[in-house]
Structures are given as structure tokens and as C-alpha cells.
């Protein structure tokens, strides 16, 4: 594992153990430089923390019709239920990583887990649509505190083969969570537990968060950066402005009828992005610690991996949203049936993720290329199936394409996470994790906005839902082709 960086400030010890309120958690060993080790139960706990935010990004997809019926939300507010969470989540992720480096990753993980449980409760008892939107924004902020600490903790408290296995399990967890969110959402909405209906998709997080807190207190070691830097306030504000001016109009524009503010916001985005990068470079030259150090993006594996992550997650996020809407609104399937359609994808993804580390040892990052080709076959098969069988489409008919696409995705995502973080020094684990997860989350939101708008626009035309789904799958196939081409530029070794 390479642990050097283009910046002189990256040299020296990686991380230092930080004292925790109760000392070192029971069962925690030590990893190089006297750092505490992350045990199996601790790894399970942080992976639980990684799963919750991603599940909640997708779990509402199948619950939206019920929310609309109960709260009379309307299209624009329904979009905000999804977009409000995604926006606050994406905007605050890098800041969450920096705060973990500064105050301790275990401490921020615990705070984020507690806040996630409380905001989930607020979502579940929301009396009206606007209250639900506000609670979802707060829930996204809680997720942004918790999620960056997961990868940073893994990166700073594991080494060698244990780190490779932990990162592979993280990738498997991330991919499965996106699929499982919609499956679980369909089951909970249909079960209507104690008459809770859609509210159960949020309330189920509360006991899980309580269990996560109890486990984290005992099993997750405390780590922080050796040389923590203060929060870069100008950089944080400008990054937030740039992401908001891009994601807000794209996610809300279609439902709102593309009012003037959406076009003004999109026009502001490039200026905000350039201003952010200029401030970060100037802070770096003056010897400060910017929110996103330019030297970090000088790492070849991180830079090229992030470029590949964008189209991969855009396609994945868009597909998950579109398939939920197409199966429920286009075919009239129930929430459970639309969730079950994704089971073959989830199982294939999980199997490929488990096989990934062994394949990477032999073939390196060629596994990512192979995964892209396999995913392309699956998406193409789905497009042909929809084109030929609509409207007599069934879960069984979709099974082969779903399974093949899931197999390909499972060979890409876990390996790509490992590549991106392979050269990030331990002292920058928090900011490195924050940058990666921000890219992932922003790409998922962009995929929902772009592919979702494409599908919904075409579905409302005379062509109908079947042609709209086929066209959207063809566009996603083009994104898969781009990921295959970009994978050729990855370093041959996964790190």
C-alpha cells in the first residue's frame, strides 16, 4: 500500500490513536504505529453505518405513491423528499470527513448514528409533507456526519490483506444497500405494520440506530489525524454552493416546470465551481489545509478512479429510480413485486463482491473492465427484453438481465473503492473518504435527476412507458461503455 502523497505535509506517521471516553474498546488490538485495530464486530458496526444512509436514499422510491396519497404532497414536494436528503447529504460529506479527522472518527460516527436515528423518527411521525421534507434534509446531514467515518476508520485501523478485505466488504455493502433499500421499502409498505404504511420505511431505522450505537461504543476504535486542520470555512461554503446550484435545479426542475430560478442556479454553478477550486489552490499555496487539498487530486489512482465513479454511479442511481417508477406506474405492479424484481441483481452483486478480492490478486484492475463488459451485456439484455415483451413484462422475464447486470456491477464497485483510496495517506483518510463518497452521492443524485427526467418525460409522451424505459436503458448502456473505456486508464494494481 502506497502511503505517500504529492504534498510534503502528508509525510510522517499516518494516524494516531485518540483516547476515547471509555478507553480502547474491548477486543481491539493494534495495527502498525501503535494504532488500534478494527476487529470483526467493529467492522460489522461501521458497515452497518455505511448501509443506513444508502438504504435511505433509495428506500423512498417505492414509498412515494403512498406518501403522495397520505400527505397530498404533489410532484414537486415528492421530488423534495428525495432531493432534500440527497442535497444535504452530498453537500456536507467532505465537511463530515474533515470533522472526523479533527475531533475523532468514532466520536463523529456515534454523533451521526444518534442523529440519524432521531431524524428518522422525525420523518416517520411527520404530520405533513413540508415537515417530512425538513426532516429528510436533517437526516441527510446526519448521514453526512456518519458515513465518511466508515472508510476513514477502515483506512486508519487496518492494514494489508485485512484492509483489502474490509474495503471489498464496504463496496459490497454499498452496492447491496442501494438495491436492498428498494426491496425493503416494498416489503415494509406492503406489510403496513400496525397501520404505519410508508412511515415504517423511516421508523425501522430507529432500533437499528440504537443497536449501532451500543455496538460502536464497545467495538469501534477511536482514531484521528496526527495533524488535524481547522475547518476551511470559505472552501466549505463554496463547495456547498457549487453542489447546490447543480443538484437542486436538476432534481427539482422537471417537477417545478423549470422556473427561472432553476436556470439562474445552473448559470451560477460553473462560477461557484471555479471559485471553489481557486480558493482551495490559494489556501494550499499559502501553507493552509484546504477542504479538498489539490495535492490529493494529484494522486493518479484517486483522480482516475473518481472520473470512472461518476458515470458508474450516475447509471446505477438512475436505473434504480427508473425501474421502480416503470414497474409500479408503467406496469401497475405492487411495491413488493417491484422490489422482488431486484433480488437477482442483489444476489449476483453480492456473489461477485465476495469473489472480487481473489480475482483482483490475479488480474488487478482488469476486473473492473470485465465487470463493465458484463454489466453492458445485462443492460442490453434488459433493453431488448423490455422492447419485445412490454406490456407483458414480468419479474421472471427480467431475471436474466438483472442477474447479469448485478454480476458486472459487483465486479466494479468494490474494486473501484479500493483503487481510489489505495494511495491516500492515513492522516488524510477522512478527507479522502469524504471526497470519494461526495462524488458517489452526487453522481447518484445526478443519475436520478437526468435519467429520471428522461424517463418521465418520454413516458408522458405518446410513445408510452415501454419505449421510455427502453430508451433510458440504451442511454445507461452508453454510460457503461464510457466506464469500460475509462477503466483502461486505471493503475493495473488495485493497491
Amino acid at each position: 500500500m502506497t502511503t505517500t502523497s504529492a504534498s510534503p505535509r502528508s509525510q510522517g506517521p499516518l494516524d494516531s490513536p485518540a483516547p476515547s471516553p471509555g478507553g480502547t474498546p474491548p477486543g481491539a488490538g493494534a495495527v502498525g504505529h501503535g494504532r488500534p485495530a478494527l476487529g470483526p464486530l467493529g467492522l460489522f458496526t461501521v458497515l452497518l453505518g455505511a448501509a443506513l444512509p444508502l438504504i435511505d436514499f433509495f428506500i423512498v422510491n417505492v414509498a412515494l405513491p403512498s406518501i403522495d396519497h397520505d400527505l397530498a404532497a404533489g410532484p414537486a414536494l415528492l421530488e423534495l423528499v428525495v432531493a432534500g436528503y440527497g442535497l444535504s447529504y452530498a453537500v456536507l460529506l467532505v465537511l463530515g470527513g474533515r470533522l472526523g479527522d479533527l475531533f475523532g472518527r468514532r466520536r463523529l460516527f456515534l454523533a451521526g448514528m444518534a442523529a440519524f436515528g432521531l431524524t428518522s423518527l422525525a420523518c416517520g411521525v411527520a404530520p405533513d409533507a413540508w415537515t417530512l421534507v425538513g426532516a429528510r434534509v436533517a437526516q441527510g446531514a446526519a448521514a453526512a456526519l456518519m458515513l465518511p467515518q466508515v472508510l476513514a476508520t477502515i483506512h486508519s485501523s487496518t492494514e494489508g490483506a485485512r484492509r483489502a478485505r474490509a474495503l471489498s466488504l464496504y463496496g459490497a455493502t454499498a452496492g447491496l444497500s442501494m438495491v436492498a433499500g428498494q426491496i425493503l421499502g416494498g416489503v415494509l409498505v406492503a406489510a403496513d405494520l400496525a397501520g404505519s404504511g410508508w412511515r415504517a420505511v423511516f421508523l425501522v431505522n430507529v432500533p437499528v440506530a440504537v443497536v449501532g450505537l451500543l455496538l460502536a461504543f464497545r467495538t469501534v476504535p477511536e482514531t484521528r489525524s496526527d495533524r488535524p486542520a481547522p475547518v476551511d470555512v470559505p472552501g466549505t461554503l463554496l463547495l456547498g454552493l457549487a453542489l447546490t446550484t447543480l443538484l437542486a435545479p436538476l432534481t427539482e426542475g422537471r417537477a417545478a416546470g423549470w422556473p427561472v430560478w432553476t436556470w439562474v442556479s445552473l448559470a451560477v454553478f460553473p462560477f461557484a465551481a471555479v471559485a471553489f477550486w481557486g480558493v482551495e489552490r490559494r489556501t494550499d499555496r499559502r501553507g493552509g489545509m484546504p477542504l479538498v487539498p489539490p495535492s490529493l487530486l494529484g494522486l493518479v489512482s484517486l483522480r482516475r478512479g473518481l472520473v470512472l465513479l461518476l458515470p458508474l454511479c450516475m447509471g446505477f442511481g438512475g436505473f434504480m429510480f427508473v425501474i421502480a417508477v416503470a414497474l409500479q406506474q408503467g406496469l401497475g405492479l405492487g411495491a413488493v413485486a417491484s422490489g422482488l424484481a431486484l433480488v437477482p441483481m442483489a444476489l449476483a452483486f453480492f456473489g461477485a463482491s465476495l469473489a472480487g478480492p481473489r480475482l483482483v490478486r490475479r488480474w488487478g484492475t482488469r476486473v473492473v473492465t470485465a465487470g463493465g463488459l458484463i454489466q453492458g451485456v445485462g443492460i442490453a439484455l434488459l433493453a431488448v427484453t423490455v422492447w419485445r415483451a412490454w406490456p407483458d413484462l414480468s419479474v421472471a422475464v427480467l431475471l436474466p438481465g438483472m442477474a447479469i447486470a448485478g454480476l458486472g456491477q459487483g465486479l466494479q464497485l468494490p474494486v473501484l473503492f479500493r483503487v481510489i483510496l489505495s494511495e491516500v495517506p492515513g492522516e488524510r483518510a477522512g478527507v479522502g473518504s469524504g471526497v470519494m463518497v461526495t462524488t458517489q452521492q452526487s453522481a447518484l443524485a445526478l443519475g436520478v435527476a437526468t435519467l429520471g427526467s428522461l424517463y418521465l418525460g418520454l413516458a408522458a409522451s405518446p410513445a408510452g412507458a415501454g419505449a421510455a424505459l427502453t430508451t433510458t436503458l440504451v442511454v445507461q448502456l452508453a454510460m457503461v461503455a464510457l466506464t469500460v473505456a475509462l477503466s483502461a486508464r486505471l493503475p493495473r494494481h488495485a493497491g
Side-chain angles (χ1 to χ4, degrees):
M1 173 69 77
T2 305
T3 56
T4 58
S5 169
S7 169
R9 291 188 298 277
S10 305
Q11 308 300 324
L14 296 182
D15 263 344
S16 59
S20 60
T24 302
V31 67
H33 306 288
R35 290 175 288 144
L38 184 67
L41 191 55
L43 177 61
F44 169 81
T45 304
V46 294
L47 290 180
L48 179 65
L52 284 175
L54 289 169
I55 287 174
D56 265 63
F57 184 81
F58 290 96
I59 200 169
V60 297
N61 285 348
V62 292
L64 289 176
S66 298
I67 294 173
D68 189 22
H69 179 267
D70 283 2
L71 302 183
L77 279 181
L78 285 177
E79 291 277 359
L80 278 177
V81 169
V82 178
Y85 176 86
L87 270 173
S88 62
Y89 184 21
V91 165
L92 296 173
L93 274 165
V94 178
L95 178 61
R98 172 59 62 83
L99 292 175
D101 286 349
L102 183 61
F103 295 112
R105 292 151 190 157
R106 176 173 176 262
R107 182 176 299 173
L108 266 291
F109 182 83
L110 290 168
M113 180 72 79
F116 195 84
L118 290 173
T119 53
S120 295
L121 178 62
C123 290
V125 300
D128 54 60
W130 277 111
T131 303
L132 177 59
V133 169
R136 283 284 282 173
V137 171
Q139 189 187 34
L145 280 183
M146 177 170 59
L147 189 58
Q149 319 315 325
V150 174
L151 278 169
T153 298
I154 290 173
H155 198 66
S156 58
S157 57
T158 59
E159 287 183 334
R162 290 182 65 244
R163 180 182 293 177
R165 181 173 178 272
L167 288 174
S168 294
L169 287 173
Y170 174 86
T173 300
L176 280 174
S177 298
M178 299 179 211
V179 181
Q182 289 187 195
I183 298 173
L184 179 62
V187 171
L188 289 173
V189 170
D192 193 22
L193 301 172
S196 59
W198 59 267
R199 297 179 187 275
V201 305
F202 300 114
L203 295 176
V204 72
N205 293 330
V206 178
V208 176
V210 171
V211 171
L213 281 170
L214 294 175
L215 287 173
F217 269 117
R218 294 188 58 83
T219 64
V220 177
E222 180 66 286
T223 61
R224 61 165 60 98
S225 175
D226 248 356
R227 291 181 289 277
V231 173
D232 173 17
V233 176
T236 300
L237 293 176
L238 284 170
L239 178 62
L241 178 63
L243 289 174
T244 302
T245 53
L246 175 64
L247 296 177
L250 289 179
T251 52
E252 190 63 15
R254 184 198 60 82
W258 296 106
V260 173
W261 73 262
T262 59
W263 299 109
V264 172
S265 182
L266 287 171
V268 168
F269 164 69
F271 296 99
V274 170
F276 166 71
W277 190 243
V279 165
E280 297 300 272
R281 291 185 64 183
R282 186 162 58 251
T283 302
D284 202 28
R285 284 197 303 267
R286 290 176 177 174
M289 183 59 76
L291 184 69
V292 180
S295 57
L296 196 66
L297 297 181
L299 300 173
V300 173
S301 57
L302 183 137
R303 184 177 66 252
R304 293 182 181 178
L306 291 179
V307 171
L308 175 52
L309 191 64
L310 275 170
L312 178 61
C313 287
M314 278 184 68
F316 200 1
F319 173 83
M320 297 299 295
F321 176 80
V322 167
I323 203 70
V325 174
L327 294 182
Q328 288 189 90
Q329 296 183 1
L331 284 183
L333 296 182
V336 173
S338 94
L340 288 176
L342 296 170
V343 169
M345 176 177 284
L347 293 176
F349 189 105
F350 184 65
S353 299
L354 293 180
R358 187 167 58 252
L359 296 172
V360 167
R361 281 195 296 271
R362 181 169 183 181
W363 302 106
T365 57
R366 292 181 181 87
V367 173
V368 178
T369 305
L373 292 171
I374 294 170
Q375 184 192 4
V377 171
I379 297 298
L381 182 57
L382 284 172
V384 171
T385 301
V386 171
W387 175 62
R388 295 183 63 182
W390 191 277
D392 302 316
L393 210 56
S394 66
V395 172
V397 171
L398 292 171
L399 190 152
M402 288 285 191
I404 295 171
L407 180 66
Q409 289 164 346
L411 291 175
Q412 294 175 86
L413 204 58
V415 179
L416 193 55
F417 287 155
R418 184 172 162 186
V419 170
I420 290 171
L421 295 176
S422 62
E423 295 181 319
V424 177
E427 65 179 14
R428 292 187 171 186
V431 68
S433 302
V435 169
M436 187 186 81
V437 180
T438 298
T439 304
Q440 177 194 8
Q441 180 60 35
S442 300
L444 289 172
L446 279 172
V448 172
T450 53
L451 292 182
S453 295
L454 173 65
Y455 169 80
L456 292 170
L458 292 174
S461 71
L469 180 55
T470 304
T471 303
T472 306
L473 289 169
V474 170
V475 173
Q476 188 191 355
L477 188 59
M479 292 181 175
V480 173
L482 178 59
T483 64
V484 171
L486 290 171
S487 68
R489 292 178 50 79
L490 291 176
R492 283 302 176 198
H493 299 287

